Amino acid sequence: MPFHCHKNLLFSMLFALISTAGFAKTTVTALKCEYQINPVGIGVVQPRLSWQIAATENNFVQQAYEIRVAETPGNFSGTGKLLWGTGKVNSSGSVNIPYGGPAAKPMQRVWWQVRIWDANNKATAWSESAYWEMGLLTGGDWKASWIRFGGEKDNLVSRPAHYFRKEFSLSKKVKSARVYVTALGLYELHINGKKVGNDLFTPGWTSYKNRIQYQTYDVTSMLSAKNAIGAIVGDGWYRGNIGFKGQRSYYGDKSALLAQLEVKYTDGSRETIATDTNWKATTGPILESDIYNGELYDARLELNGWDQTGFADSKWEGATVYDFTKSTLIAPQGVPVQAIHEIKPVKLIKTPKGESVLDMGQNMVGVVRLKVAGNSGDKVVVKFAEVLDKAGNFYTDNLRAAKCTDTYILKGGGEEVYQPLFTFHGFRFVKLEGLTSEPTLDQITGVVIHSAMTPTGSFACSDSLINQLQHNIQWGQKGNFVDVPTDCPQRDERLGWTGDAQVFSMTAAFNFDVAAFYTKWMKDFTADQLKSGRVPHVIPDVLNGGGGATAWADASIIVPWTVYQVYGDKRILAEQYNSMKAWVEYMHIRAGDKNLWMGDEHFGDWLAFASNSSSYPGATTEKDLIATAYYAHSSKLLSQIATILGKTEDATFYANLSAAVKKAFIDEFVTKNGRVVSHTQTGYSLALAFDLLPENLKKSSAEYLAADVKKMGHLTSGFVGTPLVCQTLTSIGRDDLAFMLLKRTKYPSWLYPVTQGATTIWERWDGQKPDGSFQDVGMNSFNHYAYGAIGEWLYKHVAGIDIDPQHPGYKHILMSPHPGGDLTKASAELNSVYGMIKSSWKLDKSHFVYDVTIPVNATATITLPHAELSKVMVNQLPLYGSKNFKSEQVKDATTVELGSGSYQFSYDSDLFLPQK
């Protein structure tokens, strides 16, 4: 070959190598299916696929993608057969792309890969293979029978947990094995002496009369030639105490187990081991298990080796088949509850009453693992409290009827370790009764339990009290997101109150990935919603249909809307649309032709600040005003949702309805001078935030709001108004007042509980009064996240991370930091569906430094406060005149359009200095 040919070939190869090497740094990562990594046992027949992109270059936007799906990873190579492929799709979409191939069969696993193209039309390598696996899709897929323990005695307040077992042999080499399992009650599954999976409180809490989840576990590695499978079943939400006034067995009075083990052998044959009359059943050491009251465990009754082969079960009864439907069985769509981490007590307290109390240092939710030694029959009683009283004594009056007590009876013979199985408690302080010596710090461990949501957000600033507030918000969310978003985790309630979740939904989505969590919960809205469209107060409903309260029932619209905004999830809007529409139509009927929702019972601005003191007058906002405001707001949201879903007739109808309700609101509740009836912070915040005022009155109403806040010097709002007050004040240009409210440390305020040592958000502004006494024992939770909704404002406004409503899911980010309140720095991070977003600012007198990170395949508009374009530096170079950035002077701010990457802006402005 002539030299010049060698030379040309060499240059071609070198050029190709350089080009490929440069692009090889761009990879497709973090493949997810229905918000999960490699999910096993899903029930969505057209699951959605998402991915993120790792790229070293800035301003990277995906130009096209291709997905391919196959039955095995080997089919991706050569001429392997594909189940489905998109071909090259010109789109920057990388979130929630629906699978469009043939529906996967029950128990089938399919594999998928994706590759993308850049702006130069260069493709990445195919991603690593990921998969999803279907569960059992219909009742007909179940070969197992429901079984129960037939020897149960009736008329017990709390019944012993039931134990089930079966031994079986496998004669061939196992290729794979899955177990599908659920219960009426709560279960824990065991195979060959080991617990299956890490989940707790399975099958989870749903509207059991309509939907019962089952779980799927890959147990291939747990099996051998000879095997034992078993389960423990407790009362749980299904037939334990739930609701008020000692209500038990709301869903049914019989617990049961359903399990189906599917074994696939290497020779292609299959075998099924399923619950039937060949299983054995009995009771054991768990004599009582109740979510409210705790657990009674007698270690002398332990069944050592019950879940292993060779156990003598001749005294066990044959299981009884229970005739119960399988048509309501569904695969989970949420995230499981798990033991997330552990904490140790920080000190031992001797109370004035002489009791020894262990302080965990954190109001937490979960259980205590106890280490103890003693004689057979000795009894140790573990009691829980959130707070100590004014005198420093153990305080449990606010737990109401909930006993919140775990009792352990020792078997004797050395150190014993006990951890309850089917209960949880909300507590900071632990009292051990029955010990023969003083308790020690290493005697207990706090096991923190909540839904295994992925943490996504963080916020921090220069004020340590605000940082503690953020800590309290996140711990309040963890403690109350235990399969459903509950109001509180400690007393005889722990229900899915819709209003609390509604006002907190956006804050929740900053702190954790709640897409799957809310998707699961919203299905129970549909299940429990009445035919009239009325939405129960709590979901799942255990209050026998009571509902229809404004701001509470509106969670049926606002929570799916939040999921759409945060995750770009249109499917939740489509699947919840009929429910949303039914709720608006319920309001439509209740309001009548006058378009005013008047006279019905509502919770109103729940727990709004009130006092008999002349120094702190209370504030009561008319419930009719709140109801009509939410009627207008939800109708407007429904119109927007209808537009997104292509329902043009509905979009027009509900837009017109919302406009009509707005007019009625103005005529009924707003004077000609812009004064809103009730004249409260909540009233004005609703009117302004929901756009219920005519243009010519917005300014005067804003002035009324500002004047009231300035006059009072504190919040006067409750659950409904509080999330809106700071947002509304900043929208009318009164950051000074919003920061004043944020930084106030006296009662009532967000920081008052912090100064009192709170480690979670309180239910009431004055749960513990300045004199150390407590509020009404009938309703005084010290772990109640609703007032933590201020977190949304901290992330969005102070740190400056917000959603562009035209590009949901943070596809385009609006970043606008707001220094104020004498803060010298603030930062937030949010791991979005596209990747990590960072916003961090520092202020040194007049010098402002702002660091931002935009994830790959997303863009952002940055608004720099008090910034003169000609003085702004970006990455230490002048912004003005730069061809790399599109920037603009807008009044006293500078806006910059950014692509992916990390950037630092810096400049000086005298407007940051205190103004005279």
Side-chain angles (χ1 to χ4, degrees):
M1 182 181 291
F3 174 73
H4 72 274
C5 292
H6 283 283
K7 183 178 179 182
N8 290 342
L9 179 61
L10 181 63
F11 277 126
S12 298
M13 292 174 62
L14 183 61
F15 179 77
L17 181 63
I18 293 172
S19 301
T20 305
F23 194 72
K25 295 179 181 178
T26 299
T27 56
V28 179
T29 65
L31 275 65
K32 289 186 178 182
C33 173
E34 290 297 317
Y35 301 108
Q36 301 177 62
I37 298 172
N38 295 335
V40 173
I42 68 172
V44 182
V45 294
Q46 286 189 308
R48 295 161 300 169
L49 309 175
S50 303
W51 58 90
Q52 293 181 1
I53 303 166
T56 55
E57 62 181 283
N58 284 358
N59 304 307
F60 187 98
V61 175
Q62 169 190 298
Q63 300 299 307
Y65 68 82
E66 182 178 7
I67 300 170
R68 60 184 184 183
V69 179
E71 289 187 314
T72 67
N75 286 354
F76 291 138
S77 59
T79 58
K81 182 180 179 181
L82 297 180
L83 283 173
W84 178 68
T86 61
K88 183 178 180 182
V89 178
N90 293 319
S91 168
S92 66
S94 58
V95 174
N96 289 327
I97 308 300
Y99 166 67
K105 301 173 184 177
M107 301 181 282
Q108 182 183 10
R109 174 177 290 191
V110 295
W111 297 78
W112 67 287
Q113 290 181 318
V114 63
R115 63 176 175 174
I116 65 168
W117 280 261
D118 70 355
N120 297 316
N121 199 32
K122 292 179 181 178
T124 64
W126 286 100
S127 69
E128 294 292 325
S129 297
Y131 61 82
W132 75 86
E133 183 175 311
M134 304 305 294
L136 304 180
L137 302 181
T138 68
D141 295 329
W142 288 88
K143 302 173 186 176
S145 300
W146 287 100
I147 59 172
R148 59 185 309 273
F149 172 56
E152 183 174 62
K153 296 179 181 179
D154 295 329
N155 302 318
L156 295 177
V157 174
S158 181
R159 286 158 283 201
H162 298 162
Y163 286 68
F164 299 88
R165 73 182 308 273
K166 176 183 173 66
E167 294 190 22
F168 62 95
S169 298
L170 300 175
S171 59
K172 302 177 184 179
K173 186 175 181 181
V174 175
K175 179 180 180 182
S176 65
R178 304 287 183 270
V179 64
Y180 306 90
V181 58
T182 187
L184 305 180
L186 301 179
Y187 75 85
E188 181 175 275
L189 187 69
H190 291 229
I191 292 180
N192 293 332
K194 295 181 180 179
K195 180 181 183 300
V196 176
N198 298 316
D199 304 342
L200 300 175
F201 307 148
T202 45
W205 188 13
T206 52
S207 175
Y208 290 132
K209 296 176 182 179
N210 302 286
R211 296 163 14 96
I212 300 175
Q213 296 184 132
Y214 68 87
Q215 281 70 40
T216 303
Y217 297 104
D218 182 344
V219 294
T220 309
S221 63
M222 300 183 74
L223 298 179
S224 57
K226 293 185 177 182
N227 303 275
I229 183 171
I232 313 170
V233 177
D235 289 352
W237 293 287
Y238 186 84
R239 71 169 190 172
N241 283 292
I242 195 68
F244 300 122
K245 299 180 180 179
Q247 177 175 272
R248 286 185 57 80
S249 301
Y250 181 80
Y251 296 102
D253 63 355
K254 292 179 173 61
S255 64
L257 173 72
L258 182 72
Q260 183 165 313
L261 174 62
E262 295 285 349
V263 180
K264 184 185 295 185
Y265 295 112
T266 54
D267 66 2
S269 62
R270 308 176 75 105
E271 185 173 356
T272 300
I273 293 90
T275 45
D276 56 21
T277 54
N278 293 316
W279 287 54
K280 295 287 195 74
T282 191
T283 57
I286 302 176
L287 300 181
E288 296 179 6
S289 65
D290 189 85
I291 288 184
Y292 290 171
N293 294 330
E295 188 167 288
L296 170 59
Y297 188 98
D298 189 342
R300 297 171 299 179
L301 302 177
E302 286 181 342
L303 306 166
N304 295 321
W306 71 275
D307 54 358
Q308 300 177 47
T309 57
F311 177 78
D313 60 8
S314 59
K315 294 183 180 180
W316 289 40
E317 295 186 11
T320 301
V321 169
Y322 183 41
D323 185 15
F324 193 85
T325 184
K326 299 168 195 166
S327 63
T328 56
L329 295 175
I330 57 165
Q333 284 188 284
V335 290
V337 176
Q338 295 179 346
I340 304 301
H341 58 92
E342 299 181 351
I343 60 176
K344 297 294 292 184
V346 295
K347 61 181 174 180
L348 175 65
I349 300 170
K350 182 68 74 172
T351 71
K353 288 184 177 180
E355 297 174 325
S356 296
V357 174
L358 292 157
D359 179 5
M360 305 304 296
Q362 171 65 50
N363 195 2
M364 57 166 280
V365 173
V367 295
V368 156
R369 184 166 60 248
L370 171 69
K371 292 193 300 183
V372 64
N375 299 319
S376 176
D378 287 351
K379 181 187 296 185
V380 177
V381 178
V382 188
K383 294 187 175 181
F384 303 89
E386 291 187 289
V387 291
L388 303 179
D389 68 13
K390 183 177 181 179
N393 289 310
F394 199 71
Y395 178 80
T396 59
D397 289 353
N398 68 319
L399 302 181
R400 301 192 306 212
K403 294 179 182 179
C404 302
T405 300
D406 295 329
T407 302
Y408 180 72
I409 301 173
L410 281 71
K411 59 189 173 187
E415 184 177 81
E416 302 176 39
V417 178
Y418 165 63
Q419 181 174 320
L421 185 58
F422 295 134
T423 190
F424 63 90
H425 309 287
F427 63 97
R428 173 172 173 171
F429 299 96
V430 180
K431 182 171 66 170
L432 303 179
E433 297 177 346
L435 296 178
T436 57
S437 60
E438 195 76 359
T440 61
L441 294 183
D442 66 349
Q443 198 158 10
I444 66 169
T445 300
V447 181
V448 178
I449 294 172
H450 59 80
S451 289
M453 307 166 292
T454 302
T456 51
S458 64
F459 173 88
C461 68
S462 56
D463 189 314
S464 61
L465 294 180
I466 297 174
N467 291 341
Q468 183 64 42
L469 172 64
Q470 168 68 6
H471 169 98
N472 294 1
I473 292 169
Q474 291 185 319
W475 272 87
Q477 180 175 349
K478 289 192 289 187
N480 281 292
F481 277 43
V482 181
D483 208 47
V484 302
T486 60
D487 59 325
C488 61
Q490 74 297 90
R491 66 189 182 213
D492 56 342
E493 193 166 352
R494 314 186 201 188
L495 305 178
W497 283 97
T498 52
D500 305 50
Q502 183 264 117
V503 299
F504 189 74
S505 61
M506 186 60 76
T507 298
F510 273 111
N511 291 329
F512 293 90
D513 181 349
V514 291
F517 179 89
Y518 278 144
T519 297
K520 176 254 184 187
W521 190 51
M522 294 313 299
K523 297 291 187 183
D524 289 314
F525 274 74
T526 302
D528 282 341
Q529 189 171 15
L530 279 69
K531 292 182 180 179
S532 65
R534 185 173 67 185
V535 176
H537 298 320
V538 299
I539 299 292
D541 177 33
V542 293
L543 302 183
N544 302 296
T550 188
W552 270 249
D554 294 277
S556 61
I557 294 177
I558 292 171
V559 173
W561 180 247
T562 298
V563 174
Y564 166 72
Q565 292 181 88
V566 175
Y567 306 103
D569 190 333
K570 287 177 64 174
R571 183 173 287 181
I572 195 171
L573 299 181
E575 293 183 342
Q576 295 301 129
Y577 186 79
N578 289 338
S579 170
M580 293 187 274
K581 184 175 177 179
W583 167 241
V584 172
E585 283 303 314
Y586 175 85
M587 291 189 284
H588 192 181
I589 291 170
R590 302 304 300 164
D593 294 338
K594 292 184 178 180
N595 294 314
L596 293 168
W597 191 4
M598 310 280 277
D600 281 359
E601 289 294 322
H602 301 286
F603 296 110
D605 194 20
W606 188 247
L607 296 182
F609 172 79
S611 172
N612 295 324
S613 167
S614 59
S615 301
Y616 292 125
T620 301
T621 306
E622 287 190 21
K623 293 179 180 179
D624 293 343
L625 181 151
I626 297 172
T628 304
Y630 263 94
Y631 177 26
H633 180 58
S634 286
S635 299
K636 186 176 182 178
L637 284 181
L638 186 60
S639 173
Q640 293 174 303
I641 292 167
T643 299
I644 293 165
L645 298 177
K647 300 177 182 291
T648 54
E649 289 186 8
D650 277 4
T652 301
F653 177 83
Y654 290 109
N656 292 337
L657 177 61
S658 180
V661 178
K662 174 179 177 178
K663 181 179 184 304
F665 180 92
I666 294 168
D667 293 342
E668 184 72 17
F669 299 113
V670 184
T671 72
K672 63 180 181 180
N673 294 321
R675 184 183 177 98
V676 176
V677 169
S678 297
H679 192 57
T680 62
Q681 294 173 15
T682 293
Y684 287 111
S685 294
L686 284 168
L688 289 161
F690 290 176
D691 191 23
L692 299 178
L693 298 168
E695 286 298 323
N696 64 312
L697 295 183
K698 287 182 178 179
K699 182 179 179 181
S700 56
S701 291
E703 290 171 349
Y704 276 123
L705 171 61
D708 185 79
V709 172
K710 186 175 183 179
K711 173 186 174 183
M712 299 303 296
H714 62 77
L715 292 158
T716 62
S717 50
F719 279 24
V720 171
T722 298
L724 299 175
V725 174
C726 282
Q727 295 181 34
T728 306
L729 287 170
T730 57
S731 73
I732 64 173
R734 294 308 303 265
D735 262 20
D736 58 326
L737 295 176
F739 275 103
M740 179 272 291
L741 293 177
L742 172 67
K743 298 202 68 177
R744 177 183 168 89
T745 55
K746 294 181 179 180
Y747 161 72
S749 68
W750 287 288
L751 297 185
Y752 166 72
V754 174
T755 67
Q756 299 298 301
T759 59
T760 45
I761 300 297
W762 292 355
E763 180 176 20
R764 294 176 176 270
W765 292 121
D766 57 345
Q768 181 174 313
K769 298 178 182 180
D771 66 0
S773 61
F774 293 123
Q775 252 286 359
D776 178 11
V777 296
M779 192 170 60
N780 195 24
S781 163
F782 291 93
N783 193 348
H784 220 94
Y785 58 73
Y787 284 139
I790 185 62
E792 176 184 351
W793 185 77
L794 295 176
Y795 280 105
K796 284 185 175 181
H797 190 75
V798 179
I801 299 176
D802 203 354
I803 297 164
D804 182 344
Q806 301 303 314
H807 303 278
Y810 297 98
K811 179 67 171 170
H812 182 75
I813 312 157
L814 303 179
M815 306 188 73
S816 180
H818 290 83
D822 297 324
L823 298 180
T824 57
K825 62 180 180 179
S827 62
E829 294 185 356
L830 176 63
N831 194 1
S832 73
V833 289
Y834 293 97
M836 185 63 73
I837 303 167
K838 296 182 180 181
S839 177
S840 177
W841 59 261
K842 294 181 181 180
L843 181 62
D844 183 5
K845 297 179 181 178
S846 63
H847 187 63
F848 187 73
V849 178
Y850 185 41
D851 290 283
V852 298
T853 296
I854 312 302
V856 177
N857 207 30
T859 59
T861 299
I862 311 296
T863 300
L864 302 171
H866 305 322
E868 187 176 333
L869 178 56
S870 61
K871 296 181 179 180
V872 177
M873 305 290 286
V874 55
N875 296 340
Q876 301 182 336
L877 295 173
L879 175 63
Y880 183 73
S882 172
K883 296 181 180 179
N884 296 323
F885 301 94
K886 180 182 178 182
S887 56
E888 183 180 3
Q889 186 76 49
V890 181
K891 296 182 179 179
D892 72 335
T894 292
T895 63
V896 189
E897 302 298 326
L898 293 178
S900 62
S902 295
Y903 310 88
Q904 183 180 83
F905 298 89
S906 60
Y907 56 94
D908 287 273
S909 173
D910 290 341
L911 293 176
F912 288 122
L913 299 173
Q915 303 299 302
K916 296 182 179 180

PDB file of all heavy atoms in Angstrom, residues 717-729:
ATOM      1  N   SER A 717     -52.470  32.754  60.719  1.00  0.00           N
ATOM      2  CA  SER A 717     -53.091  31.780  59.832  1.00  0.00           C
ATOM      3  C   SER A 717     -52.985  30.363  60.388  1.00  0.00           C
ATOM      4  O   SER A 717     -52.226  30.083  61.314  1.00  0.00           O
ATOM      5  CB  SER A 717     -52.432  31.838  58.456  1.00  0.00           C
ATOM      6  OG  SER A 717     -51.018  31.764  58.590  1.00  0.00           O
ATOM      7  N   GLY A 718     -53.765  29.447  59.777  1.00  0.00           N
ATOM      8  CA  GLY A 718     -53.741  28.044  60.136  1.00  0.00           C
ATOM      9  C   GLY A 718     -53.240  27.190  58.993  1.00  0.00           C
ATOM     10  O   GLY A 718     -52.463  27.644  58.142  1.00  0.00           O
ATOM     11  N   PHE A 719     -53.730  25.941  58.916  1.00  0.00           N
ATOM     12  CA  PHE A 719     -53.235  24.996  57.926  1.00  0.00           C
ATOM     13  C   PHE A 719     -53.438  25.487  56.494  1.00  0.00           C
ATOM     14  O   PHE A 719     -52.620  25.228  55.623  1.00  0.00           O
ATOM     15  CB  PHE A 719     -53.955  23.649  58.088  1.00  0.00           C
ATOM     16  CG  PHE A 719     -53.405  22.773  59.170  1.00  0.00           C
ATOM     17  CD1 PHE A 719     -52.706  23.307  60.242  1.00  0.00           C
ATOM     18  CD2 PHE A 719     -53.580  21.401  59.130  1.00  0.00           C
ATOM     19  CE1 PHE A 719     -52.202  22.502  61.248  1.00  0.00           C
ATOM     20  CE2 PHE A 719     -53.079  20.575  60.128  1.00  0.00           C
ATOM     21  CZ  PHE A 719     -52.386  21.130  61.191  1.00  0.00           C
ATOM     22  N   VAL A 720     -54.544  26.185  56.238  1.00  0.00           N
ATOM     23  CA  VAL A 720     -54.864  26.601  54.874  1.00  0.00           C
ATOM     24  C   VAL A 720     -54.069  27.834  54.462  1.00  0.00           C
ATOM     25  O   VAL A 720     -53.518  27.900  53.356  1.00  0.00           O
ATOM     26  CB  VAL A 720     -56.378  26.855  54.733  1.00  0.00           C
ATOM     27  CG1 VAL A 720     -56.697  27.502  53.381  1.00  0.00           C
ATOM     28  CG2 VAL A 720     -57.155  25.557  54.893  1.00  0.00           C
ATOM     29  N   GLY A 721     -54.004  28.811  55.336  1.00  0.00           N
ATOM     30  CA  GLY A 721     -53.376  30.071  54.969  1.00  0.00           C
ATOM     31  C   GLY A 721     -51.873  30.101  55.086  1.00  0.00           C
ATOM     32  O   GLY A 721     -51.189  30.746  54.279  1.00  0.00           O
ATOM     33  N   THR A 722     -51.337  29.415  56.076  1.00  0.00           N
ATOM     34  CA  THR A 722     -49.901  29.519  56.371  1.00  0.00           C
ATOM     35  C   THR A 722     -49.009  29.205  55.172  1.00  0.00           C
ATOM     36  O   THR A 722     -48.030  29.926  54.928  1.00  0.00           O
ATOM     37  CB  THR A 722     -49.542  28.626  57.568  1.00  0.00           C
ATOM     38  OG1 THR A 722     -50.269  29.082  58.712  1.00  0.00           O
ATOM     39  CG2 THR A 722     -48.058  28.669  57.864  1.00  0.00           C
ATOM     40  N   PRO A 723     -49.286  28.148  54.381  1.00  0.00           N
ATOM     41  CA  PRO A 723     -48.404  27.866  53.235  1.00  0.00           C
ATOM     42  C   PRO A 723     -48.381  28.981  52.196  1.00  0.00           C
ATOM     43  O   PRO A 723     -47.461  29.030  51.372  1.00  0.00           O
ATOM     44  CB  PRO A 723     -48.999  26.581  52.634  1.00  0.00           C
ATOM     45  CG  PRO A 723     -49.781  25.972  53.747  1.00  0.00           C
ATOM     46  CD  PRO A 723     -50.324  27.111  54.532  1.00  0.00           C
ATOM     47  N   LEU A 724     -49.397  29.866  52.218  1.00  0.00           N
ATOM     48  CA  LEU A 724     -49.518  30.884  51.181  1.00  0.00           C
ATOM     49  C   LEU A 724     -48.999  32.253  51.593  1.00  0.00           C
ATOM     50  O   LEU A 724     -48.748  33.100  50.738  1.00  0.00           O
ATOM     51  CB  LEU A 724     -50.996  31.023  50.767  1.00  0.00           C
ATOM     52  CG  LEU A 724     -51.663  29.781  50.192  1.00  0.00           C
ATOM     53  CD1 LEU A 724     -53.147  30.051  49.954  1.00  0.00           C
ATOM     54  CD2 LEU A 724     -50.988  29.350  48.900  1.00  0.00           C
ATOM     55  N   VAL A 725     -48.868  32.499  52.896  1.00  0.00           N
ATOM     56  CA  VAL A 725     -48.616  33.876  53.354  1.00  0.00           C
ATOM     57  C   VAL A 725     -47.286  34.400  52.835  1.00  0.00           C
ATOM     58  O   VAL A 725     -47.225  35.483  52.220  1.00  0.00           O
ATOM     59  CB  VAL A 725     -48.682  33.961  54.886  1.00  0.00           C
ATOM     60  CG1 VAL A 725     -48.260  35.359  55.352  1.00  0.00           C
ATOM     61  CG2 VAL A 725     -50.093  33.662  55.384  1.00  0.00           C
ATOM     62  N   CYS A 726     -46.183  33.675  53.064  1.00  0.00           N
ATOM     63  CA  CYS A 726     -44.880  34.174  52.603  1.00  0.00           C
ATOM     64  C   CYS A 726     -44.814  34.218  51.081  1.00  0.00           C
ATOM     65  O   CYS A 726     -44.250  35.167  50.507  1.00  0.00           O
ATOM     66  CB  CYS A 726     -43.753  33.317  53.165  1.00  0.00           C
ATOM     67  SG  CYS A 726     -43.365  33.684  54.891  1.00  0.00           S
ATOM     68  N   GLN A 727     -45.377  33.205  50.417  1.00  0.00           N
ATOM     69  CA  GLN A 727     -45.397  33.225  48.958  1.00  0.00           C
ATOM     70  C   GLN A 727     -46.124  34.464  48.446  1.00  0.00           C
ATOM     71  O   GLN A 727     -45.690  35.104  47.478  1.00  0.00           O
ATOM     72  CB  GLN A 727     -46.097  31.969  48.432  1.00  0.00           C
ATOM     73  CG  GLN A 727     -45.387  30.666  48.734  1.00  0.00           C
ATOM     74  CD  GLN A 727     -46.135  29.465  48.169  1.00  0.00           C
ATOM     75  OE1 GLN A 727     -46.760  29.547  47.119  1.00  0.00           O
ATOM     76  NE2 GLN A 727     -46.074  28.345  48.861  1.00  0.00           N
ATOM     77  N   THR A 728     -47.229  34.790  49.077  1.00  0.00           N
ATOM     78  CA  THR A 728     -48.024  35.934  48.621  1.00  0.00           C
ATOM     79  C   THR A 728     -47.315  37.241  48.920  1.00  0.00           C
ATOM     80  O   THR A 728     -47.306  38.161  48.092  1.00  0.00           O
ATOM     81  CB  THR A 728     -49.406  35.908  49.290  1.00  0.00           C
ATOM     82  OG1 THR A 728     -50.021  34.639  49.058  1.00  0.00           O
ATOM     83  CG2 THR A 728     -50.291  36.997  48.734  1.00  0.00           C
ATOM     84  N   LEU A 729     -46.719  37.339  50.089  1.00  0.00           N
ATOM     85  CA  LEU A 729     -45.985  38.567  50.422  1.00  0.00           C
ATOM     86  C   LEU A 729     -44.858  38.823  49.427  1.00  0.00           C
ATOM     87  O   LEU A 729     -44.654  39.964  48.979  1.00  0.00           O
ATOM     88  CB  LEU A 729     -45.423  38.466  51.837  1.00  0.00           C
ATOM     89  CG  LEU A 729     -46.438  38.594  52.974  1.00  0.00           C
ATOM     90  CD1 LEU A 729     -45.796  38.245  54.308  1.00  0.00           C
ATOM     91  CD2 LEU A 729     -47.038  40.008  53.027  1.00  0.00           C
TER      92      LEU A 729
END
